Amino acid sequence: MATSSRKPRPGLTLLVFLIVVGLMYTIMAVTRTWTPRLGLDLQGGMTITLTATNREVSPESLELARDIMQQRVDGLGVGEASVATQGDRHIVVSAPNIQRDDLVDLVGSTAQLAFRPVLLAVPAGAAAPEDGSGPGLPTAPPTASDGEQLPIEDVLAYQPTAADYEAFSNYTCGDPVTDALDQPLVACDTLGVEQFLLGPVAITGERIDDAAFGIPPNDLNYVVTLDFDAEGTDQLAALTQQLVSNPQPTNRFAVVLDGVVESAPTTNVYIPGGQAEISGNFTADSAAQLANVLKFGSLPLTFEPSQVESISPTLGGEQLRVGLIAGLIGLVIVLLYAFAYYRGLGIVVLGSLLVAAAATYAAMVLLGSAVGFTLNLPAIAGAIVSIGITADSFVIYFERIRDEIREGRSLRSALQTGWVKARSTIVVADMVSLLSATVLFILAVGGVKGFAFTLGLTTLIDLAVIFFFTKPLMLLLGRTKFFGEGHKLSGLDASHMGVSRDSLLGRRVRRTPRPVAKEA
């Protein structure tokens, strides 16, 4: 029976792997992103202390507010945000890569999220408030007044009064507003571009079960998707059934948070099932922001910022310098040991570590842009620990090759059989590290997550390097005279491993039989 075996092509494997690493740097060049996002301890950032103004603050409501703020910050991808309760009415939020006003607005939005039908919409054309706050944002939190939400039929039947039109004419973007469920509202969008007269609240944010963003199949633009509960589904069905047939601008509804219109989409279809989709000229950031507003818009307490301060990266920069020196010392020690014990094979160690470092750096930069990964001091510690994990893989492979040679195999045969026997050990060892990193990432909080994430990332990169760089490189070097014939400096010489040179090269030695004396 005929059998076929695939001939190893280490040169092709090595080339493809290097092309993949090169593509990562090509993406960095196209996006002009050459440095990873730095964490709060390295880059600096903002810390804001929020104080609950409610008369009674329960531990449960404070913890719920903390969870919502954490999800808001994490949802925007600012990375390594720390949100913690302090005392019985304070929440401290620390985040890098974000400006002061953005952080205050992000975590301090306290009004109930609401959907209101649009009664009138015109270009705002108003100057920014003299106090310096941005256009379209109220100078103070909206004043809440007593009032219960009207039935959806009453909301849809509401007609603006002369007083409503007068309030609309006298309003300037940035003026304080009074937000009541059963009353109309005059508001502007977040950019101060459009001014709206809105009807009473049709749906509250409590009726939203989930909100997400993404690009649908066969489409090129971001959309925001919403899922409503049973009551919200009925309200949305009634709202869209009437608005879809209204003329502009009364066929629109506004998503209002803290007296600001976050979005005012046009109703194109009747939505009976409680699953809505908002489309428009969204970017990834704007779609994520709207989805976060819809999903985490309501806070159980009212907060005011009591302290806002900048965090200097000076101390972190000094710790970074010390950490990098420690990592460099560890790398030099590993290389010195490799060259001293494995001689010429130290070139393989050096090349593999350099490729692993290049791939790790590119992955950190690209993940910073894609998912908001930030490089902090614990993450750097994880990268330093990974040097030992990568060195373990080399030792396992090299020692397995040497064992195969001592057992009588030729050098070229040992390169293949040694890999087969070392492969499972390397994979199991790396899987243990990967599992540890995964569990630590799930259970840890704060900066420790950065250590776990980086440890897991570098472990995966170690597997890729050992499979697609180290192993094919060893096969190619085995075909050279220096390594393939066991030069004394190659690390594969016969005397160093206690075998004969003929055995190393796979030569069979013929022995001349002894002459036998014949009897006379």
Side-chain angles (χ1 to χ4, degrees):
M1 182 176 63
T3 60
S4 63
S5 59
R6 181 180 298 178
K7 185 178 180 180
R9 305 178 68 180
L12 179 61
T13 303
L14 193 61
L15 178 62
V16 171
F17 180 73
L18 293 177
I19 289 176
V20 171
V21 176
L23 285 176
M24 297 172 69
Y25 281 87
T26 301
I27 296 174
M28 291 166 55
V30 171
T31 58
R32 297 182 179 180
T33 307
W34 294 105
T35 56
R37 298 177 65 173
L38 299 179
L40 190 66
D41 49 3
L42 299 180
Q43 176 177 296
M46 300 302 305
T47 292
I48 175 174
T49 302
L50 298 169
T51 302
T53 59
N54 307 69
R55 181 173 299 178
E56 295 183 1
V57 180
S58 66
E60 293 78 12
S61 61
L62 191 66
E63 182 62 25
L64 176 59
R66 189 208 70 80
D67 289 341
I68 292 175
M69 291 181 184
Q70 182 75 62
Q71 293 176 78
R72 285 182 179 181
V73 179
D74 290 346
L76 283 180
V78 297
E80 204 207 338
S82 171
V83 184
T85 58
Q86 187 179 81
D88 58 354
R89 60 177 54 242
H90 303 290
I91 293 180
V92 180
V93 183
S94 300
N97 308 315
I98 191 168
Q99 299 297 318
R100 175 188 184 279
D101 292 340
D102 294 336
L103 183 59
V104 173
D105 294 337
L106 179 65
V107 300
S109 300
T110 57
Q112 289 290 330
L113 178 71
F115 294 75
R116 294 173 178 263
V118 174
L119 304 177
L120 184 62
V122 298
E130 294 181 359
D131 64 355
S133 62
L137 298 176
T139 56
T143 303
S145 61
D146 295 333
E148 295 182 356
Q149 185 179 355
L150 299 176
I152 188 64
E153 296 79 11
D154 295 344
V155 173
L156 297 176
Y158 184 86
Q159 296 295 324
T161 65
D164 295 336
Y165 285 118
E166 182 179 0
F168 181 78
S169 300
N170 296 332
Y171 181 79
T172 300
C173 290
D175 289 347
V177 296
T178 300
D179 196 354
L181 295 174
D182 59 347
Q183 298 296 320
L185 176 70
V186 181
C188 289
D189 63 2
T190 55
L191 299 178
V193 174
E194 236 180 334
Q195 182 174 321
F196 299 89
L197 175 59
L198 307 174
V201 171
I203 310 173
T204 63
E206 298 172 353
R207 304 276 72 87
I208 298 177
D209 277 342
D210 194 18
F213 74 100
I215 300 177
N218 302 321
D219 203 342
L220 299 176
N221 300 314
Y222 283 94
V223 299
V224 177
T225 56
L226 304 174
D227 289 328
F228 291 82
D229 62 11
E231 184 178 345
T233 296
D234 295 338
Q235 294 170 336
L236 180 66
L239 177 65
T240 56
Q241 186 176 24
Q242 175 164 321
L243 296 189
V244 71
S245 58
N246 285 354
Q248 282 279 3
T250 56
N251 61 348
R252 303 167 65 186
F253 65 88
V255 180
V256 185
L257 177 67
D258 211 10
V260 177
V261 176
E262 298 287 338
S263 178
T266 299
T267 306
N268 295 322
V269 294
Y270 165 56
I271 306 174
Q275 294 182 331
E277 182 180 283
I278 301 175
S279 59
N281 297 322
F282 287 121
T283 63
D285 290 339
S286 62
Q289 183 173 13
L290 178 57
N292 280 330
V293 167
L294 295 168
K295 190 174 182 180
F296 313 117
S298 301
L299 289 175
L301 300 170
T302 302
F303 291 90
E304 288 185 353
S306 57
Q307 184 178 0
V308 180
E309 61 181 4
S310 299
I311 297 179
S312 171
T314 303
L315 178 60
E318 177 62 23
Q319 292 174 333
L320 173 62
R321 186 182 68 84
V322 174
L324 291 178
I325 292 175
L328 183 61
I329 292 174
L331 182 61
V332 170
I333 291 175
V334 169
L335 290 176
L336 288 176
Y337 172 81
F339 279 104
Y341 188 74
Y342 292 111
R343 302 179 185 178
L345 291 180
I347 297 175
V348 180
V349 177
L350 176 61
S352 299
L353 287 175
L354 290 178
V355 171
T360 301
Y361 184 81
M364 288 179 175
V365 173
L366 296 178
L367 289 174
S369 302
V371 299
F373 169 76
T374 57
L375 183 64
N376 57 10
L377 288 174
I380 292 175
I384 294 174
V385 170
S386 70
I387 298 175
I389 296 175
T390 305
D392 285 343
S393 300
F394 300 144
V395 171
I396 292 171
Y397 185 24
F398 293 164
E399 288 302 317
R400 189 67 258 184
I401 293 173
R402 292 154 71 95
D403 288 343
E404 292 293 298
I405 293 174
R406 293 188 185 103
E407 291 175 5
R409 293 187 180 273
S410 67
L411 174 57
R412 294 194 178 186
S413 175
L415 292 176
Q416 284 289 359
T417 59
W419 166 251
V420 172
K421 294 181 179 180
R423 181 175 55 198
S424 58
T425 306
I426 293 172
V427 170
V428 170
D430 279 356
M431 286 300 103
V432 170
S433 297
L434 188 60
L435 179 61
S436 301
T438 302
V439 173
L440 185 60
F441 182 82
I442 294 173
L443 299 180
V445 294
V448 180
K449 282 183 175 290
F451 172 85
F453 185 88
T454 307
L455 182 61
L457 174 65
T458 51
T459 300
L460 291 175
I461 291 176
D462 171 59
L463 280 173
V465 169
I466 197 72
F467 270 77
F468 305 115
F469 182 85
T470 307
K471 185 249 185 173
L473 181 60
M474 282 294 297
L475 294 181
L476 289 176
L477 292 178
R479 297 174 183 177
T480 65
K481 183 177 180 180
F482 182 80
F483 288 93
E485 295 184 3
H487 190 279
K488 288 186 178 181
L489 297 179
S490 68
L492 297 173
D493 60 298
S495 60
H496 188 60
M497 289 180 285
V499 298
S500 68
R501 182 172 177 80
D502 289 329
S503 175
L504 180 70
L505 300 179
R507 299 171 182 168
R508 292 185 177 181
V509 180
R510 290 186 176 182
R511 294 186 176 181
T512 304
R514 288 183 177 181
V516 179
K518 294 182 180 181
E519 293 182 1

